[in-house]
Amino acid sequence: MNPDLSWVLNDVLQVPGARHAILVSADGLLLANSSEIGRDDAETVAAAMSSMQSLSRAVAPFIGTRNPGRWRQTLLEYEDGWIFLIAAGSGAYLAATAAADVDMEAMSFRMQQQVTALGKAMTTPPRQNVSSEI
């Protein structure tokens, strides 16, 4: 059973100018997509976003330090808009698109908030040791 994660995507899309959002597994499988993008297109983009994240990590030394640290976000700029890609926990990524005039800080902040909320929602509490009589 897959949990309904649409709340994560719907909240990201509340930023003025936001267009689409998807949640992607590290191996490129689509976990969830906003209703504004069809499933087939979302699956294609999911595979590409997984590759984009991998490329982003591979070029990290280009920033010029011995230890570039942890990858946080990849931004792609196009004439008509932006693609944001961020880590969404262990083995998952959140990708969103927005218009060229989007408030980039608001978009990034909202995505980070949702990733934090997603992490809390997906965390399973430890099992309690329940004693039972035989």
Side-chain angles (χ1 to χ4, degrees), residues 37-56:
I37 185 171
R39 179 115 183 133
D40 288 344
D41 289 339
E43 286 178 350
T44 300
V45 172
M49 288 296 105
S50 176
S51 297
M52 185 58 60
Q53 179 279 143
S54 181
L55 287 170
S56 296

Side-chain angles (χ1 to χ4, degrees), residues 99-115:
D101 62 350
V102 72
D103 180 338
M104 292 177 61
E105 185 177 357
M107 189 73 179
S108 291
F109 182 73
R110 181 67 60 97
M111 290 177 73
Q112 291 294 339
Q113 281 183 315
Q114 289 311 106
V115 164

